[in-house]
Short mmCIF file of all heavy atoms in Angstrom, two decimals:
data_model
loop_
_atom_site.label_atom_id
_atom_site.label_comp_id
_atom_site.label_asym_id
_atom_site.label_seq_id
_atom_site.Cartn_x
_atom_site.Cartn_y
_atom_site.Cartn_z
N SER B 44 -51.74 9.31 -17.11
CA SER B 44 -51.88 7.92 -17.53
C SER B 44 -51.46 6.88 -16.49
O SER B 44 -51.98 5.78 -16.49
CB SER B 44 -51.09 7.69 -18.82
OG SER B 44 -49.71 7.71 -18.54
N CYS B 45 -50.53 7.23 -15.62
CA CYS B 45 -50.01 6.16 -14.76
C CYS B 45 -50.96 5.84 -13.61
O CYS B 45 -50.91 4.77 -13.05
CB CYS B 45 -48.63 6.52 -14.23
SG CYS B 45 -48.66 7.77 -12.92
N ARG B 46 -51.80 6.79 -13.26
CA ARG B 46 -52.84 6.63 -12.24
C ARG B 46 -52.29 6.49 -10.82
O ARG B 46 -52.98 6.04 -9.92
CB ARG B 46 -53.78 5.45 -12.55
CG ARG B 46 -54.20 5.32 -13.99
CD ARG B 46 -54.79 6.55 -14.57
NE ARG B 46 -56.21 6.73 -14.29
CZ ARG B 46 -56.90 7.81 -14.70
NH1 ARG B 46 -56.30 8.75 -15.41
NH2 ARG B 46 -58.17 7.94 -14.40
N ASP B 93 -45.48 -6.83 -14.86
CA ASP B 93 -44.61 -7.09 -16.00
C ASP B 93 -43.22 -6.46 -15.83
O ASP B 93 -42.44 -6.42 -16.78
CB ASP B 93 -45.26 -6.57 -17.29
CG ASP B 93 -46.35 -7.52 -17.78
OD1 ASP B 93 -46.13 -8.75 -17.70
OD2 ASP B 93 -47.41 -7.05 -18.21
N ARG B 122 -49.01 -10.96 -5.88
CA ARG B 122 -49.98 -12.02 -6.20
C ARG B 122 -49.86 -12.48 -7.64
O ARG B 122 -50.52 -13.41 -8.06
CB ARG B 122 -51.40 -11.50 -5.96
CG ARG B 122 -51.67 -11.12 -4.51
CD ARG B 122 -53.10 -10.71 -4.34
NE ARG B 122 -53.42 -9.47 -5.07
CZ ARG B 122 -54.64 -8.98 -5.21
NH1 ARG B 122 -55.68 -9.63 -4.70
NH2 ARG B 122 -54.84 -7.86 -5.87
N GLU B 125 -47.96 -15.21 -12.89
CA GLU B 125 -48.07 -15.59 -14.30
C GLU B 125 -46.74 -15.25 -14.99
O GLU B 125 -45.95 -14.47 -14.47
CB GLU B 125 -49.19 -14.81 -14.99
CG GLU B 125 -50.47 -14.66 -14.18
CD GLU B 125 -51.10 -16.00 -13.80
OE1 GLU B 125 -51.05 -16.93 -14.62
OE2 GLU B 125 -51.63 -16.11 -12.68
N PRO B 126 -46.56 -15.80 -16.19
CA PRO B 126 -45.35 -15.40 -16.93
C PRO B 126 -45.42 -13.91 -17.22
O PRO B 126 -46.49 -13.37 -17.48
CB PRO B 126 -45.44 -16.19 -18.23
CG PRO B 126 -46.59 -17.12 -18.11
CD PRO B 126 -47.39 -16.75 -16.91
N SER B 169 -43.62 5.47 -28.99
CA SER B 169 -44.17 4.29 -28.36
C SER B 169 -44.57 3.33 -29.46
O SER B 169 -45.44 3.64 -30.27
CB SER B 169 -45.40 4.66 -27.53
OG SER B 169 -45.07 5.59 -26.54
N GLY B 171 -46.07 -0.26 -30.58
CA GLY B 171 -46.87 -1.37 -30.08
C GLY B 171 -48.00 -0.88 -29.20
O GLY B 171 -48.04 0.27 -28.79
N ARG C 183 -51.25 7.59 -32.61
CA ARG C 183 -51.71 6.34 -32.00
C ARG C 183 -53.02 6.67 -31.31
O ARG C 183 -53.13 7.68 -30.62
CB ARG C 183 -50.69 5.85 -30.97
CG ARG C 183 -49.29 5.77 -31.51
CD ARG C 183 -48.28 5.57 -30.39
NE ARG C 183 -48.31 4.22 -29.91
CZ ARG C 183 -48.51 3.87 -28.65
NH1 ARG C 183 -48.69 4.79 -27.73
NH2 ARG C 183 -48.52 2.61 -28.29
N CYS C 343 -52.95 3.63 -19.84
CA CYS C 343 -53.02 3.68 -18.38
C CYS C 343 -52.71 2.33 -17.73
O CYS C 343 -52.99 1.27 -18.27
CB CYS C 343 -54.35 4.24 -17.91
SG CYS C 343 -55.75 3.17 -18.12
N THR C 344 -52.12 2.43 -16.56
CA THR C 344 -51.61 1.25 -15.87
C THR C 344 -52.67 0.18 -15.59
O THR C 344 -52.48 -0.99 -15.94
CB THR C 344 -50.95 1.68 -14.55
OG1 THR C 344 -50.02 2.71 -14.83
CG2 THR C 344 -50.26 0.52 -13.86
N GLU C 348 -52.12 -3.34 -17.61
CA GLU C 348 -51.60 -4.46 -16.84
C GLU C 348 -52.73 -5.33 -16.30
O GLU C 348 -52.63 -6.55 -16.27
CB GLU C 348 -50.74 -3.96 -15.68
CG GLU C 348 -49.58 -3.06 -16.11
CD GLU C 348 -48.56 -3.75 -17.00
OE1 GLU C 348 -48.49 -5.00 -17.00
OE2 GLU C 348 -47.83 -3.02 -17.72
N LYS C 355 -54.68 -13.69 -18.34
CA LYS C 355 -53.78 -14.82 -18.07
C LYS C 355 -54.43 -15.78 -17.07
O LYS C 355 -54.35 -17.00 -17.22
CB LYS C 355 -52.43 -14.31 -17.53
CG LYS C 355 -51.57 -13.65 -18.61
CD LYS C 355 -50.17 -13.33 -18.10
CE LYS C 355 -49.96 -11.85 -17.87
NZ LYS C 355 -48.60 -11.45 -17.49
N ARG C 359 -55.70 -19.65 -17.84
CA ARG C 359 -55.32 -20.83 -17.05
C ARG C 359 -56.55 -21.61 -16.62
O ARG C 359 -56.64 -22.82 -16.79
CB ARG C 359 -54.55 -20.38 -15.81
CG ARG C 359 -53.07 -20.22 -16.01
CD ARG C 359 -52.32 -20.24 -14.69
NE ARG C 359 -52.60 -19.10 -13.84
CZ ARG C 359 -53.40 -19.10 -12.79
NH1 ARG C 359 -54.03 -20.21 -12.46
NH2 ARG C 359 -53.59 -18.02 -12.08
N SER C 375 -60.82 -9.31 -7.03
CA SER C 375 -60.00 -8.22 -6.52
C SER C 375 -59.42 -7.39 -7.67
O SER C 375 -59.35 -6.16 -7.59
CB SER C 375 -58.89 -8.81 -5.64
OG SER C 375 -57.81 -7.94 -5.56
N ARG C 383 -60.78 3.29 -12.14
CA ARG C 383 -59.46 3.88 -11.97
C ARG C 383 -58.72 4.03 -13.29
O ARG C 383 -57.58 4.48 -13.31
CB ARG C 383 -58.64 3.02 -11.01
CG ARG C 383 -59.26 3.00 -9.61
CD ARG C 383 -58.59 1.99 -8.72
NE ARG C 383 -59.25 2.00 -7.41
CZ ARG C 383 -58.93 1.22 -6.41
NH1 ARG C 383 -57.94 0.35 -6.55
NH2 ARG C 383 -59.56 1.29 -5.26
N THR C 384 -59.36 3.60 -14.36
CA THR C 384 -58.70 3.67 -15.65
C THR C 384 -58.92 5.05 -16.27
O THR C 384 -59.71 5.84 -15.79
CB THR C 384 -59.25 2.60 -16.61
OG1 THR C 384 -60.66 2.76 -16.70
CG2 THR C 384 -58.93 1.22 -16.12
N ASP C 390 -62.98 -0.14 -17.78
CA ASP C 390 -64.22 -0.42 -17.05
C ASP C 390 -65.03 -1.49 -17.76
O ASP C 390 -65.65 -2.35 -17.14
CB ASP C 390 -65.08 0.85 -16.94
CG ASP C 390 -64.49 1.85 -15.96
OD1 ASP C 390 -63.60 1.46 -15.17
OD2 ASP C 390 -64.92 3.02 -15.98
#
Side-chain angles (χ1 to χ4, degrees):
Chain B
S44 72
C45 75
R46 318 306 277 178
D93 282 320
R122 298 184 294 171
E125 318 300 324
S169 301
Chain C
R183 309 168 75 236
C343 72
T344 308
E348 304 297 339
K355 287 188 253 185
R359 273 199 293 102
S375 157
R383 296 171 181 179
T384 55
D390 288 345

